[in-house]
Amino acid sequence: MLGGLIRVLVFLLTPLAATAGVLEDLWHQSPPQTDRLGLAFPTDDADAYAAIAGMGMGVVRVTASWGRIEGSGYDFSGLDYRVRALGALGIAAFITFESDHRRLSRYTGHVKNGQPYDLARWESFVQAVVERYDGDGEADMPGLTRPAAYVQAANEFLRDDNRSGGWAGTDAALVDYLRATYDATKRAAADMPVVLGGLSAFNVDIALLAEGLADFDIRQEWSETSRTIVTRADLKSRTQRAVIARLN
């Protein structure tokens, strides 16, 4: 800890022309691995996972896709591959559920979180996933070395057209979906933390403007030539009013 602080102070106090060696030294640091550092959605190439561990990451968010896993039965091979490769490096999975089954849920063409036609069947899927990766010795994945640290449902649920998650059903159905996911998780593993689907910083900024707690233009840079800008005046649009209403 003290050594790292000294390096930072040296960097801050060193003239710019003389910082190359300090930067090179910082780049090659090997921080201790900790569950307080996490990363979302790693590459499918497990050969790259060692670099994630080398950055100190102790938790990585991976997807449990209903559409990919449930067919005539459950095929966990893809998720097993990621969880096993991460676990071998001391990294725990943060499992994000996606109800993207084109036969068993609605709206999957526009969002990852389709509204299940049958919540009981969705709960059976969630329970099977949690049971496989909770590390309690009952129906666990063969070779599980690190149990899942968290599960999450309804990522970025505010918009009805968000392909990173989203939710195109009603707000009441979203609440039912979250409750069903929570209940199924707790039946499999009473101590498993259930995390509400994340909100992007962009939408949190919209909430700040809507509540009068800030006054700035919100900017999302997609590329050098593409950006999204939302001003206070834009909050009157139908799309932004719907986002704010769902958040509330």
Side-chain angles (χ1 to χ4, degrees):
M1 180 72 176
L2 180 58
L5 178 60
I6 291 173
R7 289 188 183 93
V8 172
L9 289 174
V10 168
F11 174 72
L12 292 174
L13 296 174
T14 302
L16 184 59
T19 58
V22 177
L23 284 173
E24 186 69 13
D25 185 44
L26 287 173
W27 180 251
H28 288 93
Q29 294 302 305
S30 297
Q33 199 170 22
T34 172
D35 288 355
R36 297 183 68 85
L37 287 177
L39 181 74
F41 305 131
T43 172
D44 291 342
D45 180 6
D47 290 339
Y49 290 0
I52 297 172
M55 289 187 287
M57 303 294 172
V59 179
V60 164
R61 190 152 66 105
V62 295
T63 298
S65 163
W66 197 15
R68 287 195 299 268
I69 293 174
E70 182 166 354
S72 56
Y74 293 140
D75 178 3
F76 290 110
S77 57
L79 188 52
D80 281 358
Y81 168 81
R82 292 170 178 79
V83 171
R84 185 177 294 111
L86 292 167
L89 294 165
I91 300 173
F94 184 137
I95 295 175
T96 296
F97 287 106
E98 291 181 349
S99 49
D100 56 351
H101 203 298
R102 295 186 177 276
R103 182 168 53 85
L104 301 177
S105 62
R106 300 185 182 94
Y107 306 118
T108 52
H110 301 287
V111 293
K112 293 286 182 63
N113 303 310
Q115 182 177 334
Y117 290 119
D118 182 350
L119 275 179
R121 186 157 183 173
W122 168 248
E123 288 188 47
S124 295
F125 167 71
V126 170
Q127 187 169 342
V129 171
V130 176
E131 190 63 72
R132 189 169 184 84
Y133 303 108
D134 63 2
D136 66 356
E138 179 180 345
D140 287 345
M141 178 193 83
L144 181 67
T145 56
R146 278 216 71 184
Y150 310 92
V151 299
Q152 180 194 46
N155 186 55
E156 298 194 19
F157 56 85
L158 292 179
R159 295 284 295 267
D160 61 6
D161 59 353
N162 187 335
R163 295 180 186 274
S164 294
W167 179 262
T170 66
D171 294 349
L174 173 61
V175 173
D176 290 342
Y177 173 80
L178 290 167
R179 285 175 169 161
T181 305
Y182 178 89
D183 289 345
T185 298
K186 293 301 181 178
R187 281 197 295 274
D191 295 331
M192 180 68 70
V194 181
V195 181
L196 177 66
L199 301 178
S200 69
F202 190 91
N203 286 317
V204 173
D205 285 343
I206 287 174
L208 289 173
L209 289 187
E211 293 297 320
L213 299 174
D215 186 13
F216 49 74
D217 292 348
I218 306 169
R219 296 174 180 268
Q220 175 70 61
E221 304 286 339
W222 304 105
S223 70
E224 291 183 359
T225 59
S226 176
R227 64 181 55 86
T228 299
I229 300 175
V230 175
T231 67
R232 184 183 292 278
D234 294 329
L235 300 186
K236 298 177 182 178
S237 71
R238 182 192 65 81
T239 298
Q240 300 304 343
R241 284 189 285 112
V243 166
I244 295 164
R246 174 162 289 174
L247 181 59
N248 288 336

